[in-house]
Amino acid sequence: MDFSRVDRLMDRALEEGVFPGAVVLAFDQEGIQYHAAFGEADRFSHLPMHCDIRFDLASLTKPLATGLAVAVLVAAGVVSFDDPIGRVLGVFRDRVEGTVTLRQLLSHCSGFAAYKPFYLHINPLQGCCDPAMLRRLLCRETLRCAPGRETVYSDIGFMMLHWFVETVSAMRMDALLRKEVYGKIEGCSLFFNDVTEPISPGAYAATEWCPWRCRLLVGEVHDENAWAFGGIGGHAGLFGRAIDIYLLLRRLMVELEGKIAEPLFPQHLIEEMVRKYPSTGGRALGFDLPSAEGSSSGKWFSQQSIGHLGFTGTSFWVDVPRRIGVILLTNRVHPSRHSIAIRRFRPILHDAVMQCFGVGKEVEPG
């Protein structure tokens, strides 16, 4: 398979300032077919990017951590996707917010707002985070519309899921995932960095010079609300390498085929998570699906594909029927979040990779 065109696209993206550096991994049913690094992981130290660099995965946390944590509880028979959060979170029990289900939260049609800057209630210069105080703020959240009526991509919804998971499991979500998911996949080292502890050793892609924390973020979660929650958030906080994401996605695809003796999840449960639900605005559970027009996945990923984007410049897409996937990890917010050129670049890259796999027609890179 010839990926030279992908090499050229990546070099061109560096020249045009789409991102300082990136790692690309492409795979099919036979395994990894392309894995390459480009540019710099840190513009100030000039650390070269390499394939084992750890990235702040931002909102990839939603499907690859929080969604799977909920799936662990569903697989154990402790909860169902249609359970209301008021069943567990007593503060919502007698409120309309308590009727919101896990399914509605996972598919972003809960009725909760998209975002609130909860982090502004604490002082980062004192080096503190206060998850308990932030959950008191979550208690004050009300619905902007009836559950199921509108689809609004919501960080707040995934903060609620994080709270629900930890209440049911009586474990921190990172510990639950390490025990029940990541630790059971050989070589997979996805993790969260607790801001109250030393940063896990290893090379990291730098993200933003943070004006709120007054420092360059390297190995420290970029999302301010996730930092305020201690680094372990339902909406952001996951770190890892491209290979870690590949190993997890490959495991889910193998389990989706029912070809493993001791699966992490029942086959029907994964099928339920990756399915499109008209009742939830046409979304899957935790995962994104390709947009009808202008999808970041480009033109050649099928409508049965799953994926997600992360604010820091991360993404993955998997064409489930074809078992073809592309993982793109960049530090596009380094040193500033203002570059949005990656929006135009992503579909061009995905089209080029799919053409390397023999899918789609030749398209000029634009």
Side-chain angles (χ1 to χ4, degrees):
M1 236 172 272
D2 181 8
F3 284 88
S4 59
R5 184 172 177 223
V6 175
D7 291 334
R8 292 194 299 272
L9 282 172
M10 295 300 295
D11 289 338
R12 176 177 160 184
L14 291 175
E15 292 171 3
E16 295 179 354
V18 177
F19 38 68
V23 172
V24 184
L25 188 154
F27 63 93
D28 61 11
Q29 195 142 0
E30 301 303 315
I32 297 172
Q33 301 299 338
Y34 180 81
H35 192 191
F38 302 85
E40 292 183 326
D42 188 322
R43 280 179 163 170
F44 300 107
S45 70
H46 301 292
L47 173 68
M49 190 68 77
H50 58 78
C51 289
D52 281 329
I53 290 283
R54 296 170 168 191
F55 285 81
D56 180 334
L57 300 176
S59 282
L60 302 197
T61 303
K62 293 179 174 78
L64 302 184
T66 310
L68 296 183
V70 174
V72 166
L73 301 180
V74 174
V78 180
V79 301
S80 79
F81 287 125
D82 294 308
D83 278 350
I85 61 171
R87 174 191 154 192
V88 169
L89 303 180
V91 68
F92 296 116
R93 189 162 294 140
D94 298 320
R95 295 168 48 186
V96 65
E97 289 78 16
T99 67
V100 172
T101 66
L102 301 181
R103 186 183 303 277
Q104 290 166 337
L105 290 167
L106 286 166
S107 56
H108 296 283
C109 65
S110 64
F112 283 113
Y115 174 80
K116 294 282 182 68
F118 297 123
Y119 67 93
L120 294 177
H121 290 264
I122 65 174
N123 183 353
L125 300 183
Q126 295 177 352
C128 62
C129 59
D130 194 343
M133 183 271 288
L134 291 167
R135 283 186 172 167
R136 289 195 294 273
L137 293 176
L138 280 179
C139 292
R140 301 177 189 175
E141 285 300 302
T142 57
L143 300 183
R144 58 186 298 278
C145 66
R149 179 175 295 176
E150 296 180 7
T151 300
V152 175
Y153 182 82
S154 174
D155 278 6
I156 291 174
F158 273 75
M159 294 176 195
M160 296 288 184
L161 285 169
H162 176 207
W163 188 2
F164 185 98
V165 164
E166 294 195 338
T167 302
V168 171
S169 66
M171 296 176 68
R172 258 184 24 177
M173 191 172 73
D174 58 328
L176 175 70
L177 288 162
R178 190 164 53 246
K179 177 183 177 185
E180 300 295 343
V181 182
Y182 309 148
K184 294 184 177 182
I185 303 173
E186 185 176 358
C188 180
S189 59
L190 293 166
F191 65 99
F192 291 80
N193 266 337
D194 186 331
V195 303
T196 66
E197 298 176 0
I199 291 172
S200 299
Y204 290 85
T207 56
E208 192 170 26
W209 175 269
C210 177
W212 180 60
R213 282 167 277 187
C214 299
R215 56 182 175 266
L216 179 68
L217 304 180
V218 182
E220 184 179 2
V221 64
H222 176 265
D223 183 272
E224 296 93 343
N225 278 336
W227 187 92
F229 272 104
I232 297 92
H235 63 296
L238 192 65
F239 283 82
R241 306 165 297 166
I243 189 71
D244 298 317
I245 299 173
Y246 162 72
L247 291 169
L248 176 57
L249 293 174
R250 183 186 67 174
R251 178 62 176 260
L252 294 178
M253 292 302 101
V254 170
E255 295 197 4
L256 191 57
E257 297 170 355
K259 294 181 178 179
I260 190 163
E262 297 183 6
L264 302 175
F265 307 103
Q267 183 180 1
H268 70 85
L269 181 56
I270 301 177
E271 291 174 346
E272 188 170 3
M273 293 191 73
V274 303
R275 186 183 308 147
K276 187 175 185 177
Y277 289 91
S279 62
T280 60
R283 298 186 69 98
L285 302 185
F287 296 94
D288 279 348
L289 302 174
S291 305
E293 294 183 7
S295 174
S296 68
S297 63
K299 297 179 179 179
W300 309 124
F301 275 82
S302 73
Q303 287 300 301
Q304 289 74 48
S305 300
I306 57 172
H308 213 280
L309 309 183
F311 187 80
T312 51
T314 58
S315 64
F316 72 88
W317 281 102
V318 181
D319 191 315
V320 176
R322 296 186 178 110
R323 298 297 193 261
I324 293 174
V326 181
I327 298 162
L328 172 64
L329 304 183
T330 83
N331 52 352
R332 72 101 192 164
V333 296
H334 175 56
S336 166
R337 67 180 67 190
H338 297 299
S339 172
I340 58 172
I342 197 169
R343 294 179 185 174
R344 180 175 177 271
F345 177 75
R346 279 189 179 116
I348 294 171
L349 175 71
H350 290 131
D351 284 347
V353 173
M354 290 299 268
Q355 288 152 20
C356 294
F357 285 111
V359 180
K361 300 176 182 178
E362 190 68 18
V363 176
E364 290 302 317

